[in-house]
Amino acid sequence: MGKNLLFPPGPGADPLHIVYEEDGLKRESSAPCQLNCPAGIDIPSYIALIGRGEYDKAIAIIRNDNPFPWVCGLICPNPCEQWCQRRYLDKALCIKDLKGLAARMVMEKGTGYLIPEPKERYSEKVAVIGSGPAGLTAAYFLAWQGYRVTVFEAMPEPGGLMIAGIPEFRLPRDFVRREIQAIRDMGVEIVVNTPIGDEVSLDELRNQGYKAFFLGIGAWEGLRLGIEGENDYPQVISALEFLKDVSFGKKIKPANSVAIVGGGNAAIDAARTCVRLGSQSVSIVYRRTRSEMPAHFEEIIQMAEEGIHVHQLTIPSKILGSYGKIDFLECLMATLGEPDESGRRRPTAVSGSEYKMPVGAVIGAIGQKPAIRRYPGFGYLDLTRRETIRVRSHNQQTNVPDVFAGGDAVTGPATVVEAIGGGKRAAFAIHAFLRDLKMPEIVPPRPRTMIPPIVLDYHKKSFIQRQEIPLIDLDRRMHSFDRVELGLDEIAGREEAKRCMRCDICERCGKCVEVCRDRLGVSAIRFFHSGESSLILKDYVHGLPKCIGCGSCVNICPTGALQLEDRDGERVLLMSGTVINRIKLETCEGCGAQYVTKVMVRHVEKLIEAPEEAFEQKLCQDCKRISKAFKMVGETPDFSVQRIQ
Amino acid sequence: MSEYYIYQDQKRCIGCRACEVHCKTKNDVPVGASFCKIIPVGPKVQDGIPRIKFIFMPCFHCETPWCVSACPTGAMQRRTEDGIVSVDKSLCIGCKACITACPWGSPQWNKETGRVFKCDYCKDRIDEGLEPACVTGCTTAALKWVSPSESSSLKREKFAKKITQGAPTS
Amino acid sequence: MSETSKKVVYSVCSMCTVRCPIEIEVENGAVKHIWGNPHVLGGRFLCPRGAAGKVFENDSERLQGPMIRSGERGSGEWRKATWDEALDYVAERLKKVIETYGPESVILGDRGGAFTDLQKAFIKALGSPNYFNHHGSCSNSVHNAHNGLTGQRRNTVSYDWKNCKYAVLYGRNILESIGTKEAKDFIDALENGMKFTYFDIRWNYTAAKADRFHIIKPGSDYAVNLGIIHTLISEKLYDAEFVNRWVVGFDELAKFISPYTPEWAEKESGVPAREIVAIAHEMAEVKPAVILYAGWMTAWTEDDYYFRRSIYMIYALLGGYEAKGGLLFNKNEVDAGYKPLKKFVDLVPKVDKKRFDGVGWKYKHLSADYGLAQMVPHAVLNEDPYPVKAFINYRFDPLSAFPDPEKFKEGLRKLDLLVTIDVNYSHTGWVSDVILPEATYLERTDSVIVKSGPKPSLWMRRKAVEPKFDAKPKWWILKQLADRLGIGQYFPYNSVEDIIAFQLQDMGLKLEDFNSKGTVSLAKDQIMWDRKDGLKFKTPSKKIEFVSSMLEENGIPSFPPYESSKEPPDGFFRLTTGKTAVHTQGTTLNNPYLNEIQPENSLWINTAEADKMGIKSGDTVEISADGVAQTIKAYVTDFIHPTAVYTLHGYGREIPLQSRAFKKGMRDNTLMKGLLTVAVGGNCPITDCFVKIRKLS
């Protein structure tokens, strides 16, 4: 066990319950947010640091696992928040926006990111193909390890979807560029306008001395709608192509009236872009209902606010037009049947329900795949049925030993944070490959540090509401590409950080409940089941009225989350830094020590049915001995001189 | 009171604390806790010379021990055959109710194990026919182990009465 | 878990230098408990320090391997070294010193005690006469006083507590500064009806059991004794037969004593004359079964030499030598009819060189067995009488034991080499160039020693457990050094078994004889010499010389007129120090269990004096002398002489690696400025230290 733990287990706890590494941190994270973060970021620690106003340190913690705190702070779909235990008390924390706040504080008000020094200097060169989040993340971690990294990008600017996909009103380009610059500052070379796989093959790069490759080429090829008329009109466009064009300056509205087919983020991004380009009528056409839409909840809300109509349970069947221009999108109504392999209920067209939707353009946004077939240079890679690159799970290695891959090219259309996770895993696998080390195994994320919690009282903690994220004015939203979500300001952010339950400390094992209820028979501390396998201390709301302050829970707590402190006449019980109870202490009449809680004395009095006078004089155990000794020889106790002779 | 007791000869005791150290050594008691303690009472002038008494305070192993009544888990036990009161450490949860209950300050907190422990008259030694470590190690043989065979019930009662002067009950 | 392995090892304790016989219970290679050796003591009783030997053994805050300093002397910067590296380091520097300045420039300071043969052999083999030990801060005046009177050392006689009927103790806190057997014997004697009178400058646990107790003026014990002698002689209460047979100079004493009446003594000491007379009467009534404690590990004042002489003179007057209940001559193996136990020191040719400390030429009446450690700084700093350049320090800590450590350190800093061999960190070790860790007394076997006494026996310290850290036994360390210095031939052994075999070779005994009891008895019963003709005094006259030929020859008067002890100047107090049953001065302060019982010292101060300064028990006070100031908690009591203050010696450790003891309490010897001198008895006048007290708000 590591020494000098910030949260030492209670002395009566099973010392093997939690495994600590040499550095004094847990071998495995116990925080659901971190465990469910695709990049494995130590979320509780950086939130705690934000709460203390230590933004630089917060960013350093994040950038241990993710070089794009700012990007993620704006557009991450935050799977962490779905696992946030605070949601069982009221609402999850705004984890995404806290991250965004930290990045903004460091980038705009502080001195910018700290550029890490390489841990070693190796001679091997590594080529990264594609400069999206996966490729740049791989480059970042490889450079940090000490490799010379060149990133090849086909487009005129690096960033992949972050530059050429996600609209500016969600992700201002300046933020992306500054985070990419921080990667360049580590010595990573980025070569743009240089597609690999076509004219320049991997073998050529091998000949130039590159010893390993990371493919992060994304999934840019839109899936076809597969309906009549799709190929007949230039106004039928794919969402990613559309968004890319707009990103690179071609800000032309497709039509006054646009239908976007699909329910994912790309669909909504395209729809909202159309609104901003001046389209009068923008509709989403989706086969299922709003609640099945894979796009972020906030995006769906914001889309509605911006006047975009969703045609639910609607299946496009035909594109109709005249003179080379679209007039209508013909659709069928649908009902939902049995769930399909994705777990969502399968839509079934209702025959005879056709109707025509007058539109001037149709944007297909039903999915993308890697454009791998366009690059014969990659032809020898194994692909999946969905035409994504097949890799070994967890180390991202393809069937070609020196080629690794990650991001949408492997997962199909997914999130930035998943791409970051893949790029990171690949970087460490490439390091192992080049150094001839054992390939990394599946390891759950570890805490990066342990930050003291912000101490506050239970009622205060439980009554802090989740912060609302302010948006810019709706009118401005509809006429400009200005960033919509303004994020948290510093005051709100630090308040929000206080809401964190610090699941990195308490593992919710319930030993405290067991001892208090089953062994002691007091039942003062209670956890409630929340979700499938999680417990949560509900007593944050009303304290522990039945607690006698004996400390058995603290004594048995294997994580050290529960702590006792005697101060200012009170025994304070803390749960992960939150004061969950305060009990008045008795003062020893002999030495003045505050040695036991008043309720404990009453509790024991009742148990032993002692005569009242037995506890009349309040003495700590040492002074009881002194008092008895004096009384045994008929003297009046003198407590003062005992210790200074 | 148990069947046994430790008699302390005030005339022989020099307050050297060998009893405390032998006890701690034998029972591996960490710093901070003590199963027995010498409490000096004095100096007080008697016939022109200041005298001092060194009161040896082990656990006196009460007849009706409050520590046993207070224990919620049954960890604190009184051995029926001889009345020795001791802690079954596998049952102790560290609630310290016994420490609060005992008027003598006998049960001790073991901060290393998170459990209570206390004087058990070195019952492992007793069971082997030996005497408690405090008695065996006493520098001047001031402590004497009195076993049932050596003591009449009258003597024990007298001792108990002396001990319990000023105590509520015991 | 495998089966537990248990064994019992009989050995000799080393938690203090009383060296009690012990029984070590060993379980699975670790110490389980340490008791007194019942075969010798009659029970398993053992003092608290002895009992705390187990936590000492298990403590990690003790020396763990050879260390060579990497910073300035005393900077506390060390590097770990291998044994070869450290031994080579020491040997090379010793060689260089010897080549440049001669072998006498190497001195060896020893803690002293019974196991000194190898250290003595080592320094002698180097060709240096300069062996000395800590007795200058300890019992030098007692040793030398007895030597002057009887021609033999203090410890050639022992007290027959068993048969004693009357005891007088002078500041000998026998029930707090304890040896296990002595304390037990003393209590047994009290139970057997022994009466006892106690003089001290303060009350203590010993006083609490006294029949007569007087808080006397500091330094006036001698006056009390003169009053007693006056009574014994003037009332003819002495044993005339014994005096006539064994005493030289009685008439001179009688003449000298005439002005020192009990009434005079009352004025000097504050003890009422009638009390002094009563004490003399009580003694005379039960003579010779009287013990007057001659002082134990006591260095007091400029003239306590004469006070110690007066004690032994009272014995002579009472016929107390080789007397039941008084003093018994200690008999050795030869007295018991054996050939002598062989010593390594005897293998080495005699060194005929002048000593560095003046003993034998400047101080002819002082014993070279002990030497004068307090002369080290003078000799080093002034190269007087010759350069002293290397100091081998074996378990000796003059910076803790002697007055004025700053002055002592000044001397040590000028050495070319200071090497300390010890089991513990010490203040002197801390300023050394090299520390060589000795295996603890539980981890090593030492040579056989003769425990001389009325019933002599052989004792042995035996290894019970393997060294916990990278420490080695003394015999190995000295042998390694000797080999490197070309004096290996004087250490003709390869194992401790070889050493024992060598020692016992003429006695017809072997190592195995120690197995069952830990000791080998050399006599069936007490050996008693004939009081008429069999007493073996080693003076030129073979008698007790009240007029000492040794003193007179060296121009030192046997009966100088009495001089009152120094009075503290106005506003000053005399600083006195003492000991507790739970500590061996500084060496045990970091022991977890002993530290727990007595972590700090306090300053005893008389209530009336404290009231004047508004000091209450528990207040923090400043104590200062000659520009040195320390702080300490006050203990205010009626039971201390108003001119004195008192504290426990040895506190205020300044070794950071001893975390429990570091800077706890007050370091008394730092206040004893200017007391690194040689009093007439060879002691430092440690209690001639006057301090100022001030309450800190």
Side-chain angles (χ1 to χ4, degrees), chain C residues 246-288:
Chain C
W246 293 111
V247 172
V248 173
F250 175 79
D251 294 341
E252 284 83 349
L253 172 66
K255 200 174 135 216
F256 165 74
I257 205 73
S258 63
Y260 304 124
T261 61
E263 291 69 28
W264 166 86
E266 174 174 350
K267 276 188 209 127
E268 272 300 317
S269 66
V271 181
R274 59 183 152 70
E275 278 282 300
I276 295 174
V277 173
I279 292 162
H281 286 176
E282 284 168 356
M283 277 182 190
E285 211 167 289
V286 296
K287 69 173 185 287

Side-chain angles (χ1 to χ4, degrees), chain C residues 27 46 99 128 134 212 232 234 272 326 335 388 451 477 513 539 541 544 575 631 648 676 685 691:
Chain C
E27 199 171 285
L46 187 66
E99 276 163 23
S128 168
H134 85 291
R212 294 182 192 273
L232 290 175
S234 62
D335 297 321
V388 167
K451 183 78 182 170
I477 298 170
D513 297 330
T539 48
S541 61
I544 303 167
L575 176 64
T631 56
L648 286 170
L676 218 45
V691 294

Side-chain angles (χ1 to χ4, degrees), chain A residues 103-270:
Chain A
R104 188 165 61 81
M105 292 305 291
V106 174
M107 279 297 204
E108 289 185 349
K109 300 205 170 164
T111 51
Y113 292 167
L114 188 77
I115 306 303
E117 279 297 307
K119 293 171 190 164
E120 291 284 338
R121 301 265 178 197
Y122 299 117
S123 58
E124 289 93 340
K125 291 197 293 180
V126 181
V128 170
I129 322 297
S131 67
L136 288 175
T137 300
Y140 167 81
F141 283 106
L142 284 163
W144 198 352
Q145 281 299 321
Y147 295 97
R148 295 191 289 157
V149 185
T150 311
V151 181
F152 296 94
E153 172 55 53
M155 285 192 261
E157 188 182 351
L161 273 178
M162 299 185 291
I163 282 290
I166 301 164
E168 280 183 77
F169 58 85
R170 289 217 288 138
L171 182 60
R173 294 303 184 253
D174 180 42
F175 299 180
V176 182
R177 288 181 185 125
R178 289 183 64 179
E179 291 200 317
I180 293 175
Q181 186 56 44
I183 294 171
R184 280 196 165 113
D185 290 346
M186 295 171 75
V188 171
E189 188 192 359
I190 303 178
V191 184
V192 293
N193 295 318
T194 310
I196 305 290
D198 195 5
E199 278 148 38
V200 185
S201 71
L202 288 187
D203 274 341
E204 268 187 71
L205 293 178
R206 282 192 186 95
N207 289 338
Q208 287 177 31
Y210 290 97
K211 298 293 182 202
F213 302 90
F214 176 77
L215 301 189
I217 57 170
W220 284 87
E221 198 171 300
L223 297 183
R224 316 226 3 112
L225 294 170
I227 55 175
E228 199 183 315
E230 187 178 5
N231 299 325
D232 303 342
Y233 305 97
Q235 296 86 6
V236 181
I237 49 182
S238 108
L240 281 197
E241 285 297 322
F242 169 63
L243 290 169
K244 184 166 106 185
D245 286 349
V246 174
S247 294
F248 284 128
K250 226 172 117 186
K251 292 193 172 157
I252 299 163
K253 67 176 173 188
N256 260 336
S257 167
V258 189
I260 296 100
V261 183
N265 279 327
I268 292 170
D269 282 347

Side-chain angles (χ1 to χ4, degrees), chain B residues 10-14 16-18 21-22 24-26 28-29 31-32 43 45 49-51 54 125 136-139, chain C residues 33-35 44-48 51-52 54 187-188 191 203 205 207-211 582 592-593 596-597 639:
Chain B
Q10 272 305 333
K11 280 199 178 125
R12 296 193 66 93
C13 181
I14 59 171
C16 74
R17 326 284 280 261
V21 181
H22 278 288
K24 293 193 71 148
T25 300
K26 188 266 158 189
D28 286 320
V29 180
V31 167
V45 178
I49 293 177
R51 306 290 180 190
F54 305 106
R125 286 176 63 83
T136 307
C138 174
T139 308
Chain C
H33 206 104
I34 304 171
W35 305 104
R44 288 188 164 79
F45 44 86
L46 187 66
C47 91
K54 175 172 143 181
I187 291 294
D188 284 346
E191 197 161 288
W203 172 87
Y205 291 175
K209 294 210 193 302
D211 296 296
V582 294
Y593 282 174
E596 181 185 16
I597 295 175
F639 308 126

Side-chain angles (χ1 to χ4, degrees), chain A residues 134 214-219 369-370 372 381-384 386-394 396-398 404-414 418-419 422-423 425-426:
Chain A
F214 176 77
L215 301 189
I217 57 170
K369 61 182 182 184
I372 198 87
L381 292 175
D382 266 3
L383 300 184
T384 65
R386 290 161 56 222
E387 294 184 30
T388 56
I389 302 171
R390 190 188 295 280
V391 295
R392 286 182 204 149
S393 57
H394 306 294
Q396 310 291 122
Q397 195 174 26
T398 66
F404 298 75
D408 284 358
V410 167
T411 56
E418 284 166 278
R425 281 194 301 277

